[in-house]
Structures are given as structure tokens and as C-alpha cells.
Amino acid sequence: MREQCPKDRVKNFNEVPYGYTEEEAVREASRCLQCPDPPCVKGCPAEINIPGFIRAIKEKKFEKAVSVIGETSNLPAVCGRVCPQEDQCEVRCVLNKTGKPINIGALERFASEFSVKRASEKKPEGPAVAVIGSGPGGLTCAADLAEKGYRVTVFEALHKAGGVLAYGIPEFRLPNGIVAGEVDNIRGKGVEIKLNYVIGKIKTIEDLRREGFKAFYISSGAGLPYFLGIEGENLKGVYSANEFLTRINLMKAYKFPEYDTPVNVGRKAVVVGGGNVAMDSARSALRCGAGEVTVVYRRTEKEMPARRDEITHAREEGVKFLFLSSPAKILAGPQGAAKTLVCTRNELGPPDESGRRRPVPLENSEFEIPADTVIVAIGSGPNPLLLSTIKGLKLNGKGYIEADPEGRTSVGDIFAGGDIVTGSATVILAMGAGKRAARAMDSYLKEKE
Ligand code: FAD
Ligand code: SF4
Ligand code: SF4
């Protein structure tokens, strides 16, 4: 796919790839073999009829293409952009053997542009159900339940719906307008979304039960950032990636002072971590004016969990990488803000429980790098605020909700899925969980009737 050239794109927040033209999309769709038992579909947790929508593109029936996708997925414009297709549908495409699988994600993105907004003709009138959290998992579950006739209310703690899609993933990978469009489509199905509404604080699940809600889907994500626990982490200039990206994406810090929230990246920014969140933080820091951005990762590039595309994009844009290095402490400059990151060098030892080789610190290997800003992107976990208010809800050792693959929890009327069950994962896995839970909630409510 054609994209903005690196030297231009580091100066703006516009989307990096341009998307297919009609001619490119039809040409790509024409390569699809229309396999009778298509393996690509087995790789899609949203169960999209992939050959079906690709055939429609080949025949230039673009609205039909998006309606085929819409039979099972409510977020095609999102998935076409951020789904890790290389590990899902595309890796299973029979043409992957030739090294040139069909670019299914790009075709899905193309089709999504022909989405026609249709408000649901019938207002849902069934029992009331509540969804907590408006990320991709919650939105998918809400849309599927509304289609089954339930009166769905989504409660969202933040002032914008979309979860990580709205506050985490930057504009240059997933424009906010695209997320808002998908959210509007879901509202059009009769789903009510209540913003600025923290369940566990404003109201508990027990309150909602008393108000007549018959079942609950918890999709509150894994948004509580982990920290390094090192000296100097409380200095000015040190951010969790979660705060840094929220300031930039949700609060529009890159448009300061037009918007009220600033973000200060200084001359030299350091990002600690090796996942997609670290790549998003590094690329955002560059766009916010940092002269130099370095990613510090404790293993080697081979073990980095970020998508290959993200690493390549970051490197093209000038992000530097420091491998086999771990932060040891952060030192302050004369103004009392972060100035220097002290690191130790590692070597790789035997594999740990994740299957990746464990970083082992080398003795007397400390070294310093300049860092006006340190962004900590080493993962996040479940927020206990809501979970601690629910009687009888079983959690695992790490504080995530215990749920079966259909989302059933230890409390009969409460279902859960997405990152709050699996830990930080992917958009499409959260959507798949939302779909399965909607089916299970439907069966539960029908049985209860
Ligand atoms: P979330 O998207 O986390 O949404 C949870 C929502 O619940 C939030 O809006 C939160 O405010 C709300 N909430 C929490 N508690 C309460 C409460 N008590 N009351 C009301 N609301 C509450 N995945 C990919 O597939 N591709 C990518 O490229 C990718 N990039 C990523 C980049 C970043 C920066 C991050 C952070 C994640 C990325 N991911 C990516 C992971 C993906 O976004 C998540 O796996 C996915 O969003 C999980 O969806 P979810 O619905 O479970 O929860
Ligand atoms: Fe592939 Fe993701 Fe689209 Fe499914 S939703 S077809 S896995 S890009
Ligand atoms: Fe087309 Fe590949 Fe799916 Fe076959 S496996 S139907 S070629 S996308």
C-alpha cells in the first residue's frame, strides 16, 4: 500500500498508509482463488466471510462487500487498519506459501469506506443489558445484543467511546474520525452509550441490577499501567505510555494550545519497552517534536513483541533502538526533572515462562543516556476499581476475571471478555470474545425467561 514518506510523516499526525485506490483493490481482489474451504476464515476471530467480500470487490460491488463483512463484524474500518493480519487471516491464506498472501486487511479497509449508515428500523425492546467499557470487545458485544433485540446500555468511564481505539492507538495509525464513525454505526443499532460513567464509583453492578438490568458484560480492558519500580520514576518528565498516549490522542496534546492539555517531550526522549505501545509512544514523541527518540529494550529485536510493520515504520522515521539494556535509575537535572537514564547491559539466558530467552544483567555494565522524557511502556494490567465491588466474582492470580471461552464468570448474570480476561491482547480477539459472549448472554436470558 502506498504511504506518506517518512520525512514528511514525522511532521504530522495524518494516517501513514493511503489505502488502496479502486483499481488497486480490484486488482488485489482478483488474485484471490475463492477457495471452497477457505483456510483464511479459520484465522479470523470475527468469522468474516473473507472470499465472499473479496469476490464482491472483484465484481466492483463495494457496498455489498462491506455488507458481507457487516454480517459478522461491526468494526471493519478498525480491523482493516490495526488487526495483526499477518498472524491471523493472512498467515492462513493458501497464497502465503508463495510469500504473497492476499492483503485481506487492506481490502477490508477499502471496503469499509463504502459503509452506508443505516439506523435500525426496529427499536430494541427486549430485556435491558449493561456493557461496561466501550472498547472493541464491549462495542461488538453491544451491537450483537442490540441486533438480537436487547436494550443495551454501554457505560464508559472516559469522555469518548472506543477504549484503546480512542485513547491509545495514535491518529497516524487509526484516525479518531474512523473510530467515531464506527461508534456512530453501533449507536444506529439502538445501543445507548453513557460516557463519563465509571461503574464501581458512580453506580455498582448491584445498583444496575436494582434498576432492572438483567445481564452484564464486563469489558473494562487492562488499562492500569505497570511501572519499573526504579529510583527517579516519580520525577517530572517520566510518563506511563498510557498517560502519554492519552494526552496525545484523547486530549489532543499535539494541538496544544488549541487544546488545553500539553505534553512535554524535550530534546531527547527514551521509551522503555518493545511492544506496539512502545512503538506508538516513540513515533508519537517524534511527531510531538523530540529531536531524538530511543527505544530501550531488555532483549534483542528478535524477541520484540511489536508488529514487524510497526518496528519498520519506527525505524524509517528515525527512532533509534538500544537492545539488551534495562533501566536501573533515572537521574534529575538541575531543574529537578528527568535528565539521564542509567541502564545496565544484559545477555540472554535460558527461556522464561513466555518462551523467550530471559535477559540476564551483566555485572558492572552501567551506562548513561540523556533523557529529558522517559516513557514507560512495559505493559498494563486490570484495574481493580470495578472488580473489587462485585461479590463472588472469581479473579485469577494476576487480578483478571476468570471466564470460560463464552464469557461466563462465577456470577450467573455477569459475563466478561477481552483484555480484562486474557490480559493485554488484540482488537480482534476482544471482538471475538464479545461475539461469543453475546450468544451466551442470549441463551442465558432466554433460559431465564
Ligand atoms: P479496551 O479497549 O481497553 O477498552 C476498555 C474500556 O473500558 C476503556 O474505554 C475504559 O475506559 C473502560 N472502563 C474501564 N473500567 C471501567 C469502569 N469501571 N466503568 C466504565 N468503563 C470502564 N491491538 C491490535 O490488535 N492491533 C494494534 O495495533 C494494537 N495497538 C495497540 C496500541 C496501544 C497503544 C495499546 C494500549 C493497545 C494496542 N492493541 C492493539 C491492543 C488492543 O487495543 C486491546 O487488546 C483491545 O483494545 C482490548 O479491547 P477491550 O474491549 O478488551 O478493552
Ligand atoms: Fe483478517 Fe482481522 Fe479482518 Fe478477520 S477482522 S479478516 S483477522 S483483518
Ligand atoms: Fe482467497 Fe487466500 Fe482465502 Fe483462498 S485462503 S479464499 S486465496 S484469501
Side-chain angles (χ1 to χ4, degrees), residues 145 255 410:
L145 285 168
K255 288 191 178 165
S410 55

Side-chain angles (χ1 to χ4, degrees), residues 31-36 38-41 50-51 54 89 92-96 101-102 104:
R31 293 204 302 122
C32 173
L33 304 176
Q34 294 292 314
C35 307
C40 53
V41 175
I50 297 171
I54 294 182
C89 50
R92 305 227 190 170
C93 171
V94 287
L95 293 176
N96 197 27
I102 299 293
I104 300 169

